[in-house]
Amino acid sequence: MDSNWSRPCVLIVEDEPSIADNIRFGLGKEGFESEWVTTGGEGLQKISEKEYALVVLDVGLPDTTGFEVCKQIRAVSQVPIVFLTARNEEIDRILGLEIGGDDYVCKPFSVRELVARVRVILKRGRLEERGEEGSESVFGPFSLDGERYQISLAERLLSLTRYEFRMLKVFLERPGRVLTREQLMYQVWEEPEASGERTVDAHVKSIRAKLREVSPGVEYIQTHRGIGYSMQY
């Protein structure tokens, strides 16, 4: 084996040792390195010191919530985040994805399923980093840089989460076309069955708010009641 090859490292932020041990074992079997901390504060400190391939983040932590930790991570990094939670409420799943999470797994869960989701997220990320999502393109007042995973409006860079970027990219590439929520789910999410119509609506709402910050009074994304959304520019 090439001695220069380094295995991707996953940070686990989980206060239950038995769960963390199972995750570390499962990741190790699939070729991942992992590090484990028990609090949100420790997790943020680790992220400030080292670049990780992905973060597995428990929602219920002893010092804060995983949602709050995610917000702080997103202020400095776009590292993929998979939430772990004992709650299976749809509103929690929507909130987790809306603030920048990449996936959401409810306890009790299969470690094999969690590891499979980690692999899918990282594979998609590698394709995007290699520019297989497309290089720089211009769509009216928008510019899209597939290699850097960035979209600008009127030459101002938009601060987008991973799924917001993918959704806006889908809209930009299909101007005027009405896309149903189901179509958006299958074109944006790796696990569309794990999302839902309310998740799509939440992301559209967030994207609209960010577009309005740059172009107040302009509604680029149109709602078609009972059908879905379209992009006008």
Side-chain angles (χ1 to χ4, degrees):
M1 181 178 294
D2 186 349
S3 60
N4 293 323
W5 182 80
S6 60
R7 300 195 294 174
C9 187
V10 175
L11 177 64
I12 302 165
V13 186
E14 166 62 62
D15 64 323
E16 296 186 41
S18 60
I19 293 177
D21 285 344
N22 287 335
I23 296 172
R24 297 194 72 182
F25 179 75
L27 289 171
K29 285 181 62 179
E30 293 298 320
F32 294 96
E33 297 281 357
S34 65
E35 295 181 12
W36 168 44
V37 295
T38 59
T39 68
E42 290 175 301
L44 291 170
Q45 181 63 35
K46 284 281 191 180
I47 289 170
S48 71
E49 298 171 349
K50 178 176 178 178
E51 185 173 333
Y52 292 91
L54 183 140
V55 178
V56 175
L57 178 59
D58 188 22
V59 171
L61 295 168
D63 59 334
T64 184
T65 69
F67 295 143
E68 183 58 37
V69 174
C70 178
K71 291 177 184 178
Q72 294 187 53
I73 292 174
R74 283 291 171 257
V76 298
S77 171
Q78 286 299 311
V79 60
I81 296 173
V82 177
F83 282 111
L84 298 179
T85 180
R87 299 177 294 186
N88 193 23
E89 296 294 329
E90 184 182 24
I91 188 65
D92 290 328
R93 185 167 68 248
I94 291 172
L95 175 60
L97 297 174
E98 188 174 12
I99 63 176
D102 292 84
D103 210 339
Y104 198 98
V105 179
C106 294
K107 301 176 181 178
F109 58 88
S110 161
V111 172
R112 289 181 64 184
E113 178 188 355
L114 172 62
V115 174
R117 293 191 180 207
V118 168
R119 294 181 69 90
V120 168
I121 291 170
L122 294 182
K123 179 180 179 181
R124 179 64 177 265
R126 287 194 296 271
L127 293 178
E128 289 163 349
E129 287 173 4
R130 292 204 299 265
E132 293 185 23
E133 290 291 303
S135 56
E136 190 166 356
S137 305
V138 176
F139 304 90
F142 294 88
S143 61
L144 184 151
D145 188 333
E147 293 186 1
R148 293 182 174 82
Y149 208 35
Q150 296 175 343
I151 297 177
S152 298
L153 171 58
E155 300 184 353
R156 284 181 56 184
L157 184 64
L158 299 171
S159 177
L160 302 170
T161 67
R162 187 176 302 268
Y163 287 115
E164 289 169 356
F165 170 86
R166 293 177 186 166
M167 183 175 289
L168 186 51
K169 180 177 183 289
V170 170
F171 279 129
L172 290 174
E173 293 176 339
R174 298 161 179 79
R177 178 178 172 182
V178 179
L179 299 168
T180 67
R181 291 172 176 83
E182 184 178 16
Q183 287 174 323
L184 289 167
M185 282 188 284
Y186 276 88
Q187 292 184 58
V188 174
W189 277 269
E190 292 98 346
E191 301 279 347
E193 64 276 3
S195 60
E197 292 190 356
R198 291 182 63 187
T199 306
V200 172
D201 292 340
H203 280 72
V204 169
K205 179 180 177 181
S206 179
I207 293 171
R208 279 174 166 163
K210 293 177 180 182
L211 297 180
R212 287 171 186 148
E213 290 179 4
V214 179
S215 297
V218 181
E219 291 294 337
Y220 291 103
I221 301 177
Q222 309 296 314
T223 300
H224 300 265
R225 290 191 178 279
I227 304 175
Y229 302 96
S230 67
M231 186 80 178
Q232 307 289 338
Y233 55 81

